[in-house]
């Protein structure tokens, strides 16, 4: 048996490094009907956070603490409507054969498909119909496709576990196993795990079997982080050199990261600090322009410096307490603008191809071109305009 399973906590009090999340879960349980897990209109409980932070463990401990049977499914096994109907629906309808209550655990909901025969829509329907408490885990619950799921769920974040806590847990496990590993090796494993307790315990179990492990080198976990984690790091901590590579771990284009930072700076900084933060952001934009215009890729280092360290250094002291970060409104405005012009662009593209001119010229001369097309059904047929394009033309003066 792996040490992760063998030494998995059995009580809330045994869970280390996630006290805030555990308290929220206890509060949720106390104010909820355990049978339906409903509190106001919240139908499920979502535990989200990086790998190895205890999401699945907390779900199992919740079952133990409430004397419930737990039925565990991985979302990758129930990706579409047919699988959900075949596996999840009967599990929700059947009463527990062992205990009085049952909890359904859906692990890694990120794997649910939004396109494969209605996977996500079917899951939402089953959650609304279920008489069983539903606990869901996810690495990235802020994925756009999971928005409907967030609306009906209580969301609890699990954070990366502190290095010292990981180290203490490892020492405790070694004591129970009556084994010895040098303190230097334990410390290195704890640091390189980057908040992933499961990974640290797996590494520890491996080295415990070796006769000589003092010369071993452990690779750092290459972990992706979400934009909310990155913003908290920039805004809530003091500037360090570690910030310079922060956005390498965020799976998002740098242009979109800039919009997130621009939107949320005012929530964290005072008036004096705002000026410095926006100055750093503007310098980021300047270097971005130079990179694209002159192909000077060596300027990327300055772009990262101003966007991370520069903005973090603009504050005198980090603002205490929780801050809710908002999605950039400019992204929505850009999207709405693109929706308005998408038909114009497609008509111009078709016209330019038909009369052998450049698309840029067709866009510039569109007021004239649109009148020509509107006045001639024959031209409309020749351009093969669809319903949306024809509707757009009728709106153009």
């Amino acid at each position: 048996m792996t040490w992760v399973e063998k030494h998995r906590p059995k009580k809330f009090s045994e869970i280390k490094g996630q006290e805030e999340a555990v308290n929220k879960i206890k509060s949720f349980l106390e104010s909820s009907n355990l049978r339906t897990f409903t509190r106001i209109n919240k139908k499920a409980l979502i535990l989200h956070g990086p790998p190895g932070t205890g999401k699945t463990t907390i779900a199992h401990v919740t079952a133990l603490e409430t004397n419930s049977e737990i039925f565990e499914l991985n979302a990758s096994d129930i990706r579409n409507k047919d699988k959900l109907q075949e596996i999840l629906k009967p599990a929700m309808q059947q009463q527990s054969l062992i205990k009085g209550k049952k909890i359904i655990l859906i692990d890694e909901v990120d794997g649910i498909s939004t396109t494969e025969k209605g996977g996500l829509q079917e899951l939402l329907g089953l959650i609304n119909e279920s008489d069983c408490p539903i606990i869901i885990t996810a690495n990235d619950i802020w994925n756009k496709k999971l928005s409907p799921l967030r609306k009906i769920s209580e969301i609890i974040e699990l954070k990366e576990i502190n290095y010292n806590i990981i180290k203490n847990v490892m020492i405790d496990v070694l004591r129970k196993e009556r084994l010895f590993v040098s303190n230097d090796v334990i410390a290195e494993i704890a640091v390189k795990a980057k908040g992933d307790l499961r990974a640290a315990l797996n590494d520890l179990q491996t080295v415990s079997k070796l006769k000589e492990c003092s010369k071993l080198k452990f690779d750092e976990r290459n972990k992706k982080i979400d934009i909310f984690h990155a913003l908290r790091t920039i805004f809530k901590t003091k500037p360090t050199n570690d910030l310079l590579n922060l956005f390498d771990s965020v799976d998002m284009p740098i242009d979109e990261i800039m919009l997130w930072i621009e939107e949320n700076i005012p929530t964290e900084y005072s008036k004096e600090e705002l000026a410095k933060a926006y100055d750093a952001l503007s310098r980021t934009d300047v270097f971005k322009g130079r990179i694209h215009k002159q192909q000077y890729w060596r300027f990327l280092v300055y772009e990262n410096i101003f966007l991370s360290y520069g903005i973090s250094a603009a504050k005198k002291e980090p603002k205490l307490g929780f801050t809710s970060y908002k999605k950039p409104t400019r992204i929505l405005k850009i999207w709405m603008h693109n929706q308005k012009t998408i038909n114009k662009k497609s008509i111009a593209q078709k016209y330019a191809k038909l009369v052998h001119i450049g698309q840029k010229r067709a866009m510039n001369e569109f007021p004239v071109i649109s009148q020509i097309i509107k006045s001639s059904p024959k031209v409309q047929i020749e351009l093969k305009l669809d319903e949306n394009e024809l509707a757009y033309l009728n709106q153009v003066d």
Side-chain angles (χ1 to χ4, degrees):
M1 183 183 292
T2 65
W3 285 0
V4 173
E5 291 296 329
K6 185 177 180 180
H7 299 285
R8 189 191 288 272
K10 302 294 190 296
K11 302 176 183 176
F12 282 136
S13 59
E14 295 174 359
I15 296 172
K16 306 300 181 184
Q18 300 293 0
E19 286 76 15
E20 185 178 348
V22 167
N23 287 335
K24 288 181 179 179
I25 291 167
K26 287 180 180 178
S27 174
F28 183 81
L29 292 173
E30 289 169 2
S31 60
S32 302
N33 180 334
L34 186 59
R35 176 171 166 74
T36 59
F37 232 19
T38 55
R39 186 175 70 176
I40 311 174
N41 62 341
K42 301 301 183 182
K43 303 290 185 180
L45 184 67
I46 294 178
L47 306 175
H48 77 100
T53 51
K55 299 184 291 294
T56 304
T57 294
I58 287 178
H60 281 271
V61 170
T62 301
L64 291 170
E65 290 272 12
T66 57
N67 193 32
S68 302
E69 177 188 358
I70 189 162
F71 185 86
E72 184 173 352
L73 291 164
N74 190 288
S76 61
D77 299 326
I78 49 173
R79 291 178 61 85
N80 56 43
K81 182 177 180 179
D82 292 340
K83 286 291 185 182
L84 285 162
Q85 289 279 354
E86 178 187 340
I87 301 173
L88 185 56
K89 189 172 183 178
M92 289 178 169
Q93 294 173 340
Q94 186 180 27
Q95 295 295 316
S96 173
L97 300 175
I98 306 169
K99 300 181 179 180
K101 299 180 284 285
K102 178 193 281 187
I103 290 176
I104 303 291
L105 169 60
I106 302 175
D107 232 349
E108 299 180 349
V109 78
D110 319 55
I112 282 282
S113 173
T114 54
T115 57
E116 193 176 338
K117 297 183 181 179
L120 183 60
Q121 287 304 316
E122 181 66 16
L123 175 62
L124 294 171
L126 290 175
I127 289 173
N128 280 314
E129 296 172 7
S130 176
D131 287 334
C132 297
I134 311 291
I135 298 181
I136 296 168
T137 72
N139 292 325
D140 179 19
I141 194 58
W142 302 110
N143 189 306
K144 198 180 299 181
K145 73 178 183 181
L146 298 176
S147 175
L149 186 59
R150 294 196 297 271
K151 291 178 182 178
I152 65 169
S153 305
E154 184 83 6
I155 300 173
I156 296 178
E157 180 186 10
L158 273 68
K159 300 176 181 177
E160 289 183 356
I161 301 173
N162 180 272
Y163 145 79
N164 284 317
I165 293 174
I166 291 178
K167 185 178 176 183
N168 290 336
V169 170
M170 292 165 65
I171 292 171
D172 186 52
V173 167
L174 286 171
R175 189 179 292 116
K176 291 175 181 177
E177 293 289 335
R178 297 182 179 179
L179 294 171
F180 174 79
V181 173
S182 73
N183 192 59
D184 290 344
V185 172
I186 293 172
E188 186 174 2
I189 292 175
V191 170
K192 297 295 178 67
K194 287 190 171 180
D196 187 334
L197 179 57
R198 180 174 59 227
L201 288 176
N202 286 337
D203 286 346
L204 182 66
Q205 186 173 7
T206 300
V207 302
S208 69
K209 299 174 182 178
L210 303 176
K211 292 182 179 180
E212 180 57 52
C213 58
S214 59
K215 296 181 180 179
L216 283 175
K217 296 295 181 183
F218 300 92
D219 293 331
E220 287 189 359
R221 293 301 189 278
N222 184 18
K223 298 181 69 175
K224 293 291 183 182
I225 60 173
D226 60 39
I227 186 62
F228 296 95
H229 180 98
L231 291 177
R232 281 194 296 272
T233 304
I234 293 291
F235 294 146
K236 298 288 190 184
T237 62
K238 294 185 178 181
T240 65
N241 290 336
D242 293 338
L243 292 180
L244 299 178
N245 299 316
L246 177 67
F247 295 120
D248 292 342
S249 301
V250 179
D251 190 15
M252 183 180 287
I254 198 74
D255 290 354
E256 195 169 339
I257 291 173
M258 289 175 64
L259 291 174
W260 276 89
I261 290 177
E262 177 191 36
E263 180 75 20
N264 291 287
I265 283 176
T267 63
E268 294 283 7
Y269 290 18
S270 66
K271 290 182 179 180
E272 183 182 341
E273 294 168 340
L274 272 175
K276 294 179 180 179
Y278 278 124
D279 180 61
L281 187 63
S282 68
R283 290 175 185 268
T284 304
D285 199 40
V286 168
F287 277 101
K288 186 188 74 167
R290 290 175 181 173
I291 290 166
H292 288 280
K293 185 177 181 180
Q294 302 175 19
Q295 301 292 293
Y296 285 175
W297 303 110
R298 64 180 182 273
F299 285 162
L300 279 170
V301 63
Y302 298 107
E303 188 178 36
N304 284 331
I305 289 172
F306 285 118
L307 191 60
S308 56
Y309 193 102
I311 289 174
S312 181
K315 61 181 178 294
K316 294 179 181 177
E317 290 292 334
K319 182 181 176 182
L320 300 177
F322 174 78
T323 303
S324 178
Y325 299 126
K326 297 178 182 178
K327 186 175 182 177
T329 53
R330 280 181 61 189
I331 291 179
L332 179 60
K333 290 176 182 177
I334 291 169
W335 179 84
M336 292 175 66
H337 174 74
N338 288 340
Q339 289 299 109
K340 289 179 180 178
T341 61
I342 191 169
N343 290 312
K344 178 180 177 180
K345 289 179 180 178
S346 63
I347 294 169
Q349 188 175 27
K350 291 178 179 180
Y351 183 87
K353 186 176 181 180
L354 185 67
V355 301
H356 306 291
I357 63 172
Q359 186 178 341
K360 187 175 181 180
R361 179 182 169 184
M363 287 290 287
N364 291 334
E365 298 176 0
F366 193 82
V368 176
I369 291 171
S370 63
Q371 296 304 317
I372 295 172
I373 299 173
K374 283 173 67 175
S375 63
S376 175
K378 183 179 178 180
V379 174
Q380 295 173 18
I381 294 171
E382 200 169 352
L383 289 173
K384 298 179 181 179
L385 300 182
D386 60 30
E387 292 180 1
N388 292 329
E389 291 167 339
L390 289 171
Y392 175 78
L393 275 175
N394 291 329
Q395 296 173 1
V396 177
D397 295 328

